[in-house]
Amino acid sequence: PTPCGENGKFTLTFDDVSTGSERDGLLPVSGVSNPYHHLFYANGFVYLPDKWQPYPAISQPNVAMFLPIGASLLPNTPFAGTMLKGEIGAGPRASVDAYWFNAHSGYFGCALSGISNCVLSISGYRYDASIGQEVVAAQQSVTIPACPLFINCHLTQVNFSDDFKTGLSGIQVNAVTEKLGIPQVFMMDDLQLEWWNSSCAAGILRIGHR
């Protein structure tokens, strides 16, 4: 924080939240509670200690995970159901550009243990006041390797194109198998963003709200 509140670049690490307790061998998965660092997360986003999944965290101890199927089994959090599948963004505050951001990069991995690669379909959205909803502002497709037998897995850094640095109200990531297009669970860590509106008023608004 500065005298003008929260401004500049920031990284979503999911390490400043506590996970569920480990008991009876159950996976200590916790759903992302909205809002987290001023942003909202679609149903299906969870975080867990990296030792409970095959990809070591970039920053310890937690890794985020998106579950494309079975999200309804997780406890619902405010406005999660209003987000697009796999979306992170301003959510109900999409019309307020103090919560818009530039997206720089992130680390990703897919829950694929075979030889088929994983394709990430990444879309950036910007709120359009003339129609009162978000519209696509950026798109990028990235192929990342699977992790055969889940041995020596490593998250892959993905750098977003310049179109993702023009003020977004949301970013959406979905993962599928390369050839068959079957939805896949994906892991994510250290999502590097930057507040688009760097004015003092916007920074003070952010620091005064979750």
Side-chain angles (χ1 to χ4, degrees):
T2 69
C4 271
E6 291 186 36
N7 276 304
K9 294 181 179 180
F10 62 101
T11 302
L12 298 177
T13 65
F14 305 95
D15 298 327
D16 53 355
V17 287
S18 59
T19 58
S21 60
E22 301 176 22
R23 60 182 186 277
D24 300 327
L26 296 177
L27 190 67
V29 172
S30 299
V32 178
S33 180
N34 284 330
Y36 169 67
H37 284 275
H38 309 300
L39 299 177
F40 291 78
Y41 300 75
N43 280 331
F45 274 108
V46 301
Y47 54 89
L48 71 166
D50 67 350
K51 69 179 182 179
W52 286 90
Q53 54 81 48
Y55 290 90
I58 300 300
S59 57
Q60 294 291 330
N62 297 332
V63 170
M65 178 185 291
F66 180 70
L67 309 172
I69 300 174
S72 60
L73 301 177
L74 298 168
N76 202 3
T77 63
F79 299 101
T82 66
M83 309 291 288
L84 297 171
K85 186 178 76 171
E87 185 186 12
I88 298 171
R93 302 187 288 212
S95 63
V96 183
D97 67 9
Y99 298 102
W100 293 8
F101 54 87
N102 299 326
H104 292 278
S105 65
Y107 289 82
F108 297 88
C110 279
L112 286 171
S113 62
I115 59 174
S116 176
N117 289 329
C118 178
V119 177
L120 300 177
S121 295
I122 308 167
S123 299
Y125 292 85
R126 185 182 305 116
Y127 183 82
D128 186 337
S130 67
I131 59 175
Q133 64 184 36
E134 292 182 306
V135 297
V136 175
Q139 289 184 306
Q140 185 174 348
S141 180
V142 179
T143 300
I144 61 175
C147 183
L149 303 179
F150 289 139
I151 297 174
N152 295 325
C153 300
H154 298 283
L155 294 173
T156 300
Q157 185 176 28
V158 174
N159 293 304
F160 304 129
S161 69
D162 289 343
D163 289 341
F164 287 83
K165 304 174 181 65
T166 57
L168 303 176
S169 53
I171 185 170
Q172 178 189 35
V173 181
N174 284 298
V176 298
T177 53
E178 185 173 32
K179 294 182 179 180
L180 298 179
I182 300 171
Q184 295 296 314
V185 171
F186 69 83
M187 276 61 76
M188 177 179 69
D189 202 12
D190 282 25
L191 186 63
Q192 297 180 355
L193 308 175
E194 178 183 15
W195 293 119
W196 180 75
N197 186 336
S198 60
S199 69
C200 196
I204 291 173
L205 180 65
R206 287 188 288 265
I207 203 170
H209 296 80
R210 284 185 60 199

